Amino acid sequence: MSKVTFIGGGSFGTALAIQLAKKNNCVNIFDRDIEVCNDINIRKRNSKYLKELEIPENIKAYNNLDKAIHDAEYIVLAVPSHVIRDVTRLLKGKISEDTIIISIAKGIEQGTNKRLSEVISEEIPKNPVVILSGPSHAEEVAIEIPTTLVSTSTNMKYAEKVQELFMTPNLRIYTNEDIIGVEIGGAVKNIIALAAGVGDGVGYGDNTKAALMTRGMKEISRVGIALGGKEETFFGLTGMGDLIVTCTSMHSRNRKAGILIGKGFSLDDALKEVGMIVEGVKACKAFHELNSKIGVSMPITDGLYDVLFNEKCPKEVVRELMLREKKNETH
């Protein structure tokens, strides 16, 4: 039995917490919203994020961080990518150096363009850091629909510990030594999924989505390899797998937001309608900035950036993409 604390009581963190609790681990959840904590502790529900799903008795929610992380062997950062640094700073001096930090966020830090594992290691350099990623919607993990994830770290013995911690009959965890590839794949696929949603909202069909996903896969691998990832990683669970599930499912926040934008909603209105963090928006801005610095071609990302931040018509962007200079598919 392990003691695990989730920082953030959102849908995916809660879904994973439920799976660990069912394995008889001692699970704490910290959340800033006292109503979420009370809902979990008193009514054994998280109505804000996973309606009507029963929370096991061995999950306790705290509105006090120090109490939530006391003696934790594992801390899961179940928060959006843009607050990873701030949250990690809160852990300084409060946890053992043996505590394994697990991030389930997907993105890179805007401004520094650093991967989240790098951000965490900068703030608490003595703690092992593991990234847990892959094609997974909280709604399905919570009700134990078979799901696969990938555990990676700069020190694979910790990735293997996390693999063992999360493995269940319905949650299969693979390991992969390519931490760069895993993180970049998880971040860029949100951009492509957001673009796919825009296409759906405009009214394009299966042909367009197939083209977008396939060329998006090329974009993911191109930038990932340039940053030091391995090509084979991008055709695995955290690249191709995550891309498929995020571009095709209505569970996907990125796709939902994209559909609304394609229908004419402003970015702000679309985000309000979705009501949760849409990681593809921040990722699009970060990678648009990054690719201009490293000289990697990311036409879908650049086109989406124009739609999101320059209010360009999606159909016009698609037209420009279709009429670019001729090239070989493999390039």
Side-chain angles (χ1 to χ4, degrees):
M1 184 179 75
S2 297
K3 186 168 184 179
V4 185
T5 296
F6 286 76
I7 298 181
S11 56
F12 193 44
T14 302
L16 290 175
I18 290 170
Q19 305 316 306
L20 293 187
K22 288 181 177 180
K23 292 180 67 176
N24 296 317
N25 293 290
C26 178
V27 180
N28 291 343
I29 294 176
F30 165 77
D31 199 272
R32 293 180 300 173
D33 188 338
I34 189 65
E35 292 302 320
V36 169
C37 296
N38 289 339
D39 200 21
I40 291 172
N41 291 331
I42 298 169
R43 292 177 285 276
K44 309 312 295 181
R45 294 285 188 276
N46 188 342
S47 304
K48 185 175 180 180
Y49 295 106
L50 290 173
K51 296 178 181 179
E52 303 306 319
L53 197 68
E54 186 173 356
I55 305 292
E57 290 293 333
N58 52 329
I59 293 180
K60 304 298 181 186
Y62 293 85
N63 194 232
N64 181 292
L65 180 64
D66 292 349
K67 291 180 179 179
I69 64 177
H70 181 67
D71 288 339
E73 299 168 67
Y74 300 86
I75 292 179
V76 182
L77 303 181
V79 295
S81 61
H82 68 278
V83 298
I84 286 288
R85 189 179 292 277
D86 291 339
V87 169
T88 307
R89 282 176 177 165
L90 297 175
L91 301 177
K92 285 183 177 181
K94 296 182 177 182
I95 58 175
S96 163
E97 293 177 6
D98 295 327
T99 302
I100 298 173
I101 309 299
I102 306 166
S103 174
I104 59 174
K106 297 171 181 176
I108 62 173
E109 186 176 51
Q110 197 170 321
T112 68
N113 297 325
K114 290 180 177 177
R115 291 177 287 107
L116 301 184
S117 64
E118 295 176 304
V119 173
I120 297 165
S121 293
E122 280 187 355
E123 298 298 332
I124 42 174
K126 295 183 179 179
N127 287 82
V129 178
V130 175
I131 299 296
L132 190 64
S133 188
S136 50
H137 291 306
E139 297 84 352
E140 296 187 4
V141 171
I143 58 175
E144 299 185 324
I145 288 177
T147 301
T148 53
L149 295 172
V150 174
S151 176
T152 184
S153 177
T154 56
N155 187 328
M156 288 305 292
K157 77 176 184 180
Y158 296 111
E160 290 166 3
K161 283 179 174 287
V162 171
Q163 178 186 40
E164 178 63 28
L165 176 68
F166 280 93
M167 282 277 282
T168 75
N170 296 299
L171 191 58
R172 181 170 177 81
I173 315 298
Y174 290 87
T175 57
N176 186 330
E177 297 85 356
D178 180 18
I179 189 170
I180 297 175
V182 168
E183 289 193 87
I184 296 301
V188 183
K189 63 87 187 178
N190 284 329
I191 301 171
I192 307 304
L194 186 53
V198 173
D200 289 337
V202 167
Y204 293 140
D206 295 338
N207 293 356
T208 309
K209 179 166 285 188
L212 182 69
M213 290 174 66
T214 306
R215 296 310 300 172
M217 192 67 246
K218 189 69 176 178
E219 204 155 301
I220 292 170
S221 61
R222 188 185 294 128
V223 70
I225 291 168
L227 294 172
K230 298 177 181 177
E231 184 173 19
E232 57 267 29
T233 299
F234 303 111
F235 293 94
L237 290 168
T238 57
M240 178 67 77
D242 215 349
L243 182 68
I244 291 169
V245 78
T246 317
C247 287
T248 61
S249 174
M250 281 308 295
H251 289 313
S252 168
R253 305 170 191 177
N254 291 284
R255 184 181 175 217
K256 285 180 184 177
I259 289 172
L260 293 171
I261 292 166
K263 289 182 175 179
F265 281 61
S266 70
L267 175 59
D268 287 344
D269 287 345
L271 296 179
K272 287 177 185 176
E273 183 71 19
V274 173
M276 292 183 283
I277 296 294
V278 178
E279 289 281 15
V281 174
K282 293 184 183 298
C284 183
K285 184 176 287 187
F287 278 95
H288 176 76
E289 176 185 323
L290 177 62
N291 72 39
S292 66
K293 292 179 180 178
I294 65 176
V296 173
S297 175
M298 298 183 72
I300 296 173
T301 299
D302 293 339
L304 181 64
Y305 182 91
D306 280 340
V307 171
L308 297 180
F309 303 110
N310 294 328
E311 299 183 356
K312 199 165 184 176
C313 172
K315 286 188 175 181
E316 180 59 27
V317 169
V318 171
R319 176 179 168 79
E320 290 175 359
L321 287 171
M322 294 293 287
L323 292 176
R324 288 183 307 135
E325 65 180 41
K326 294 180 289 184
K327 63 183 296 185
N328 188 300
E329 182 194 14
T330 60
H331 296 166

